[in-house]
Amino acid sequence: MAQVVCHLLIFHINTLGNNKPNPQLFFFFSRNFISLIQQQQSSKMKAWQYDEYGSVDVLKLATDVPVPDIKDDQVLVKVVAAALNPVDYKRRLGYFKATDSPLPIIPGYDVAGVVVKVGSQVKGLKEGDEVYGDVNEKALDGPKQFGTLAEYTAVEERLLALKPKNLDFVQAAALPLAIETAYEGLERAGFSEGKSILVLNGAGGVGSFVIQLAKHVFGASKIAATSSTGKLELLKSLGADVAIDYTKQNFEDLPDKYDVVYDAIGQSEKAVKAVNETGVAVSIVGPIPPPGFLFILTSDGSVLTKLAPYLESGKIKVVVDPKSPFPFDKVNEAYAYLESHRATGKVVVYPIP
């Protein structure tokens, strides 16, 4: 801000010193100078929040929420788009209130936006950078009180990455939590080239990325995935060799067994029945019997940076639900839709004022 002020003052002085004032330029710079001052002085923002746990009805749009302060290792991001995740509404319902931040809470994990302020220890980002990320390092252990469904959010630098230039903000917002969860689960399962995998709920936010990562990054030999009838073609377009209609077939009764079964829907008892003799099942939804394990994502912006070449080349595509984006004043409707379990891919909120 100080640099902007200096440049404007020098411009005005030089203009007057040359005795050739340009009214149009003077008006342009003055108008923007005033706008910047007003932005700098603004300490309130719009945000969705809730001060009690419960259904979607507890969400309220507030207009006088303080803009969050940043710590030395954080940046302040002007939010352009934010995506919703099942963990959002499970948090709002109080599923992990014992480890949650204090109420009131601004929900939201995924963000895509522009850096407008940097902390003193921030080294890799600067004002004006277009970034994206999952703002909560630990999804269930003390997630931020002030999330992404607001005009501004404060985020640690290590949780962010530069937005791929070929993606718009809506696509970028749909990525972080889901693709990081997909990647970490595959790594934890020891998935590698030549192995086979079955993805449960392959048309969902996480499942759609599991299919693509397994194919393009890990080199899977065979990919199967489940969905409802209307989404089978989507599974194939993402890279699934076998698309299973769960409304017509019980995947656990089919003869094929897999090195890894990735349960992204919550069918743990069935998932372990589809594992081969040396395989393992991964759950991101709840407890699972052997040979399965449950894991909770640890957010890391370096994963997004690592996967950037696959996103920039178009090998990995973002699946955004056809009803998205929802406008900022319809966040409650966006959550109601997500909670109906009818979404395909990610539900995104955009634009955010």
Side-chain angles (χ1 to χ4, degrees), residues 26-341:
F26 186 89
F27 173 75
F28 172 81
F29 277 93
S30 298
R31 182 184 59 186
N32 283 276
F33 176 71
I34 293 169
S35 175
L36 285 166
I37 289 293
Q38 289 172 339
Q39 291 175 27
Q40 186 71 11
Q41 290 176 335
S42 176
S43 60
K44 301 293 184 181
M45 66 178 182
K46 295 178 182 178
W48 284 87
Q49 62 181 17
Y50 53 91
D51 55 15
E52 62 178 320
Y53 292 107
S55 71
V56 70
D57 295 331
V58 302
L59 277 168
K60 307 296 180 186
L61 178 57
T63 59
D64 59 349
V65 178
V67 173
D69 295 324
I70 60 170
K71 299 176 182 177
D72 291 343
D73 64 340
Q74 292 181 325
V75 300
L76 186 66
V77 175
K78 173 64 186 76
V79 182
V80 178
L84 310 187
N85 294 281
V87 69
D88 286 309
Y89 66 76
K90 291 176 182 178
R91 179 188 186 187
R92 193 194 67 237
L93 290 170
Y95 285 10
F96 49 96
K97 65 173 66 177
T99 57
D100 204 354
S101 296
L103 295 165
I105 287 169
I106 298 173
Y109 284 62
D110 286 328
V111 67
V114 181
V115 174
V116 295
K117 188 177 181 181
V118 298
S120 60
Q121 295 178 8
V122 172
K123 305 299 182 185
L125 295 175
K126 64 184 184 302
E127 292 179 16
D129 282 344
E130 297 180 350
V131 296
Y132 71 129
D134 171 4
V135 303
N136 292 308
E137 186 169 17
K138 301 290 185 181
L140 308 184
D141 186 8
K144 286 182 172 63
Q145 184 178 12
F146 306 112
T148 62
L149 287 168
E151 291 184 78
Y152 297 92
T153 191
V155 196
E156 289 77 10
E157 178 184 22
R158 66 180 179 276
L159 304 182
L160 297 172
L162 293 174
K163 181 180 73 67
K165 296 187 186 306
N166 62 314
L167 300 182
D168 61 30
F169 284 100
V170 170
Q171 293 170 313
L175 278 159
L177 186 146
I179 200 168
E180 289 182 47
T181 299
Y183 184 84
E184 185 175 335
L186 288 168
E187 281 211 319
R188 284 175 176 255
F191 196 72
S192 58
E193 186 175 359
K195 289 188 175 182
S196 61
I197 186 170
L198 169 63
V199 185
L200 306 185
N201 191 24
V206 173
S208 64
F209 287 125
V210 175
I211 293 171
Q212 296 180 83
L213 291 173
K215 182 179 183 67
H216 298 293
V217 179
F218 289 85
S221 62
K222 180 180 181 180
I223 302 171
T226 67
S227 76
S228 58
T229 309
K231 300 176 181 178
L232 295 177
E233 290 305 314
L234 172 62
L235 299 184
K236 295 176 183 177
S237 72
L238 294 173
D241 303 299
V242 180
I244 301 169
D245 185 343
Y246 69 77
T247 68
K248 298 178 181 179
Q249 292 180 295
N250 295 320
F251 67 84
E252 71 275 18
D253 295 332
L254 298 176
D256 289 342
K257 305 301 175 184
Y258 300 86
D259 295 309
V260 172
V261 176
Y262 200 121
D263 180 12
I265 192 66
Q267 296 182 313
S268 59
E269 296 290 339
K270 295 180 179 180
V272 295
K273 295 179 181 179
V275 174
N276 64 26
E277 293 181 356
T278 59
V280 65
V282 184
S283 173
I284 60 170
V285 182
I288 186 169
F293 67 88
L294 168 69
F295 87 95
I296 305 298
L297 171 67
T298 299
S299 177
D300 184 354
S302 68
V303 172
L304 299 177
T305 301
K306 182 187 299 184
L307 296 176
Y310 298 94
L311 294 163
E312 291 169 348
S313 68
K315 287 184 177 180
I316 295 179
K317 295 177 173 59
V318 185
V319 181
V320 176
D321 186 88
K323 288 185 178 291
S324 289
F326 285 79
F328 188 62
D329 61 353
K330 303 293 185 184
V331 162
N332 48 357
E333 294 181 16
Y335 271 118
Y337 177 62
L338 179 67
E339 293 172 50
S340 73
H341 304 290

